[in-house]
């Protein structure tokens, strides 16, 4: 029961990480306008994401525009797209495999593949969390390097958006869920039932003579008893001497 509760905890942590990764991937708040000038009161604010660029007006109106050309995008943005999409796909695969490997499901109940399936789901959650963590870390490094670049104009400097912080939280949740699933599966494998373990012989095997009894002694057939040649003793005892014929 405790192992089942631990598996459910790891699974729901992974699901929360997956949901956060999807939201962070779709939202345009990866980079927001940095107010570095003397006049901090502005009528518009610019935000950039992986798929679109948005403008917020002081009247409360949002205007977003999708990126029209994929090849015209910077390489770091293309790589961030690919990594986040791959993280989402890996999280979906991890969820499916974890559901099949958890004890509370009926799939392959009582089989030896339950624990390996749960561990595989945990490993997939770990991979998804690492992919998301690499992406948001890479974006954070680019934003900080551009912000402290003295040759870059103030209008082109951005700050870290909310989607990046959400990506950090989602990566931590996915990594935690994967670790919990792997730990619970490893404990199940170490506490496998006795009938599933390989029995080792507790005593040496029986002797060869106990398994196969010795062969019986050879006895000549009854028909061959009187056909052998008489010995010297038998000739002398019957009244005939061999010296009389030599």
């Amino acid at each position: 029961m405790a192992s089942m509760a631990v598996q459910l905890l790891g699974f729901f942590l992974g699901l929360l990480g997956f949901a956060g990764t999807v939201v962070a991937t779709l939202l345009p708040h990866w980079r927001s306008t940095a107010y570095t000038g003397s006049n901090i009161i502005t009528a518009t604010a610019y935000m950039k994401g992986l798929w679109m660029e948005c403008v917020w007006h002081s009247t409360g109106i949002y205007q977003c525009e999708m990126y029209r050309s994929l090849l015209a995008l910077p390489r770091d943005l293309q790589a961030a797209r690919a990594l986040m999409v791959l993280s989402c796909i890996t999280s979906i695969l991890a969820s499916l495999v974890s559901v099949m490997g958890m004890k509370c499901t009926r799939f392959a109940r009582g089989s030896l593949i339950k624990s390996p399936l749960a561990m595989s789901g945990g490993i997939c959650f770990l991979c998804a969390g690492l992919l998301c963590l690499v992406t948001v870390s890479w974006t954070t490094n680019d934003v900080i390097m551009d912000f402290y670049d003295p040759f870059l104009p103030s209008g082109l400097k951005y700050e870290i958006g909310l989607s990046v912080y959400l990506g950090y939280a989602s990566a931590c949740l996915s990594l935690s869920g994967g670790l919990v699933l792997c730990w619970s599966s490893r404990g199940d494998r170490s506490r496998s039932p006795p009938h599933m373990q390989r029995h080792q012989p507790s005593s040496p095997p029986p002797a060869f003579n106990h398994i196969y009894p010795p062969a019986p002694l050879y006895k000549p057939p009854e028909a061959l008893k009187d056909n052998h040649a008489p010995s010297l003793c038998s000739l002398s005892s019957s009244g005939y001497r061999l010296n009389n014929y030599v």
Side-chain angles (χ1 to χ4, degrees), residues 131-205:
L131 289 172
C132 182
L133 184 61
V134 168
T135 307
V136 293
S137 300
W138 190 355
T139 304
T140 302
N141 179 70
D142 289 344
V143 171
I144 293 176
M145 294 295 292
D146 292 340
F147 186 85
Y148 289 105
D149 188 2
F151 301 102
L152 191 67
S154 301
L156 299 179
K157 293 183 179 181
Y158 291 89
E159 292 182 353
I160 302 173
L162 296 178
S163 297
V164 176
Y165 296 111
L166 181 59
Y168 278 115
S170 304
C172 292
L173 288 174
S174 298
L175 291 174
S176 301
L179 288 175
V180 171
L181 279 175
C182 292
W183 177 74
S184 63
S185 303
R186 184 178 180 183
D188 292 340
R189 294 183 65 179
S190 61
R191 295 190 303 268
S192 58
H195 66 276
M196 294 184 180
Q197 298 177 355
R198 295 182 178 180
H199 297 280
Q200 299 293 336
S202 57
S203 59

Side-chain angles (χ1 to χ4, degrees), residues 43-148:
T44 58
Y46 297 93
M47 292 160 289
K48 288 185 177 182
L50 301 180
W51 310 97
M52 65 185 72
E53 185 176 359
C54 298
V55 179
W56 176 82
H57 299 274
S58 59
T59 57
I61 299 177
Y62 269 93
Q63 291 181 350
C64 296
E65 183 179 1
M66 301 288 294
Y67 296 129
R68 297 181 180 275
S69 176
L70 177 63
L71 298 179
L73 296 176
R75 293 185 179 180
D76 57 346
L77 185 57
Q78 296 180 11
R81 276 185 174 187
L83 290 177
M84 292 301 289
V85 171
L86 188 59
S87 176
C88 295
I89 295 175
T90 309
S91 296
I92 294 175
L93 179 63
S95 303
L96 295 177
V97 176
S98 300
V99 166
M100 292 187 294
M102 292 171 61
K103 290 184 176 180
C104 58
T105 58
R106 295 185 178 182
F107 179 80
R109 178 170 293 180
S111 178
L112 292 176
I113 64 173
K114 269 286 191 181
S115 295
L117 282 176
M119 181 172 289
S120 300
I123 293 174
C124 290
F125 273 126
L126 289 175
C127 294
L130 287 176
L131 289 172
C132 182
L133 184 61
V134 168
T135 307
V136 293
S137 300
W138 190 355
T139 304
T140 302
N141 179 70
D142 289 344
V143 171
I144 293 176
M145 294 295 292
D146 292 340
F147 186 85
Y148 289 105

